[in-house]
Amino acid sequence: MNLGKTTTVKRRFTVLSREILDKYPELATEGSPTIRQRLEIANPAVVDMAADASLACINEWGRPAADITHLVYVSSSEIRLPGGDLHLATRLGLRSDVGRVMLYFLGCYGGVTGLRVAKDIAENNPGSRVLLATSETTILGFRPPSKSRPYDLVGAALFGDGAAAVVVGADPVEGKEEGFMELSYAVQEFLPGTHGVIDGRLSEEGINFRLGRDLPEKIEGNIEEFCRKLMRIGGLGDGVGFNELFWAVHPGGPAILNRLEGKLGLEEGKLDCSRKALMDYGNVSSNTIFYVMEYMREELMKKRNGGEYKESEEEWGLGLAFGPGITFEGVLLRSL
C-alpha cells in the first residue's frame, strides 16, 4: 500500500518524537495503561503550539494583547482542570477579565464551531476582539503498529499535529485593522442515526477512534441540501450556482473531497486550497480549516499584488467542516 498516494499527504508534523518514545517506552507496548503519560505530553504541548500560533496572529493583527476581550480555545487533545483556555490566557498575558470559552472534543468540525461562537460573541459585544485558537496533537490516539490493524497505518499517515489562531471582531478600526473575510451566517446540523459513524472512546490506553467506511458516503448524501440551506438562510437565492462561490472545506481525507466535488459539480480548482492543506499538513482536526483559509488569503494577495484581481472574482463562499455526530458545521463567507 502506498500511503502517500492513498492519503495524498506529503508532509505532516507531530509532537511525538524519538526522545518522547525513549522517555515513555510503554507508549510502544500494546495494551499498556498510558493515559497518564499521554496527558503529561499532550497537555503542555497543545498550549505551547496554541501560544506560538496566537502570538504570531496577534503580532500580525498589530494591536496589543491587552485589547483581546474574549478567548475561544478549541482542542480535542487535552484533559485537565483548569483547562487549556486559562493556561493559554496566562501565557499570552491576556487581561484577567478576558471572557474565556473552552470547546472540548469536537473533532474535525471544531474550527468552524469556533468561528461560529467567536462571531456570535463579536456581534453581541460591541468593540470586542475575540482570539480564536485551536490546537491538536495525535498523542492521545497513538497506537503502536500491529499486523492485526493494518488500517491504523492509514490514520497515522493522514493525521497530524498543529495549531492555528485568528482574531475575530466587528467594525474594524480604520487604519489599524483590515479584515480578510466576513462571517456572514453560520449553521450547525447533525445527521440523526449517525452518531456511531465516528466513534472515539477514552480508555486507560488513550483514545481509540473508529471511522466508519461509510463516512464519505454519508457526507455526500447530505452535503447539497446543507449547503443550499446555509445559502438560503444567509440570503443567497437558489439561483446562485455552486461554481459561483469559493470553497473553504475541511479536508478530512481525499475521498471526502472527491465525493463533495462530484456531488456538487464543482469545477476543477475549486478545492485546490483544501487539497494543498491536506498535502502539506495532513488532517490536523480543528486546525485544518484555517490552513485552507490561509492558502486562500495568500492566493488573493498574490492576485491583488500582481494586478490579476478582478471585481468579478467570487465574493461569496462557504466554509465547511464535518465531524462526530455526524455533524455538519458551515459558515457563509464574504471576501473583503
Side-chain angles (χ1 to χ4, degrees):
M1 179 187 295
N2 186 328
L3 294 178
K5 184 176 181 180
T6 300
T7 63
T8 72
V9 177
K10 292 187 177 180
R11 180 187 71 170
R12 62 190 180 86
F13 301 90
T14 65
V15 169
L16 188 63
S17 64
R18 170 54 60 186
E19 291 74 19
I20 288 176
L21 287 175
D22 288 343
K23 183 177 180 180
Y24 300 99
E26 57 271 32
L27 292 175
T29 303
E30 186 76 23
S32 297
T34 53
I35 187 62
R36 176 183 60 80
Q37 294 92 324
R38 293 168 188 266
L39 290 175
E40 285 180 3
I41 302 165
N43 285 344
V46 290
V47 169
D48 286 346
M49 291 189 292
D52 288 345
S54 297
L55 288 170
C57 175
I58 292 172
N59 182 61
E60 183 175 350
W61 176 46
R63 293 176 58 180
D67 287 354
I68 296 294
T69 60
H70 297 77
L71 171 65
V72 178
Y73 180 53
V74 183
S75 182
S76 299
S77 305
E78 64 159 88
I79 305 171
R80 57 178 162 176
L81 290 174
D85 56 324
L86 180 60
H87 291 279
L88 180 58
T90 302
R91 284 278 295 274
L92 298 177
L94 303 184
R95 297 165 10 190
S96 61
D97 63 348
V98 65
R100 307 188 325 269
V101 176
M102 179 78 207
L103 298 176
Y104 265 134
F105 287 98
L106 300 182
C108 291
Y109 68 87
V112 183
T113 302
L115 285 173
R116 175 168 54 82
V117 172
K119 171 183 180 298
D120 288 347
I121 292 173
E123 289 177 341
N124 288 283
N125 295 270
S128 62
R129 291 297 179 266
V130 186
L131 175 65
L132 166 59
T134 60
S135 189
E136 308 286 2
T137 175
T138 53
I139 287 288
L140 294 186
F142 170 76
R143 303 175 78 180
S146 172
K147 291 182 179 179
S148 64
R149 300 189 311 272
Y151 190 72
D152 282 2
L153 293 175
V154 178
L158 177 63
F159 290 93
D161 301 357
V166 296
V167 173
V168 179
D171 301 321
V173 178
E174 188 173 352
K176 292 185 177 181
E177 297 174 310
E178 184 177 357
F180 160 53
M181 280 190 183
E182 178 183 282
L183 308 175
S184 181
Y185 204 91
V187 171
Q188 184 191 75
E189 185 173 347
F190 69 90
L191 305 181
T194 65
H195 50 274
V197 176
I198 304 175
D199 188 68
R201 303 292 176 94
L202 184 65
S203 71
E204 292 181 347
E205 300 174 47
I207 295 180
N208 293 323
F209 287 103
R210 186 187 69 83
L211 300 179
R213 292 185 179 274
D214 58 343
L215 175 60
E217 179 184 346
K218 296 289 187 184
I219 293 175
E220 179 186 24
N222 293 274
I223 187 61
E224 183 173 1
E225 178 52 35
F226 179 76
C227 291
R228 286 296 181 194
K229 178 179 181 179
L230 178 55
M231 292 165 66
R232 284 194 300 269
I233 295 176
L236 294 186
D238 289 337
V240 177
F242 291 136
N243 282 304
E244 297 177 60
L245 308 175
F246 61 84
W247 294 81
V249 180
H250 167 78
I256 291 175
L257 294 178
N258 292 341
R259 284 180 177 258
L260 186 148
E261 186 178 59
K263 180 67 175 181
L264 302 180
L266 298 183
E267 297 170 352
E268 184 178 353
K270 285 290 184 179
L271 299 182
D272 277 359
C273 290
S274 294
R275 295 189 189 279
K276 182 171 173 56
L278 182 63
M279 180 177 67
D280 289 347
Y281 298 101
N283 181 342
V284 200
S285 193
S286 64
N287 302 299
T288 325
I289 189 67
F290 299 108
Y291 302 161
V292 175
M293 295 174 75
E294 179 65 12
Y295 280 140
M296 296 182 74
R297 184 173 74 148
E298 289 177 2
E299 282 196 2
L300 183 61
M301 290 179 68
K302 285 180 182 178
K303 287 182 179 180
R304 286 178 173 169
N305 292 337
E308 299 176 23
Y309 181 76
K310 302 175 183 177
E311 290 300 326
S312 59
E313 297 276 353
E314 299 97 333
E315 178 183 6
W316 294 93
L318 296 182
L320 304 172
F322 323 99
I326 297 170
T327 300
F328 284 33
E329 189 85 58
V331 58
L332 180 65
L333 304 168
R334 188 170 74 90
S335 178
L336 298 176

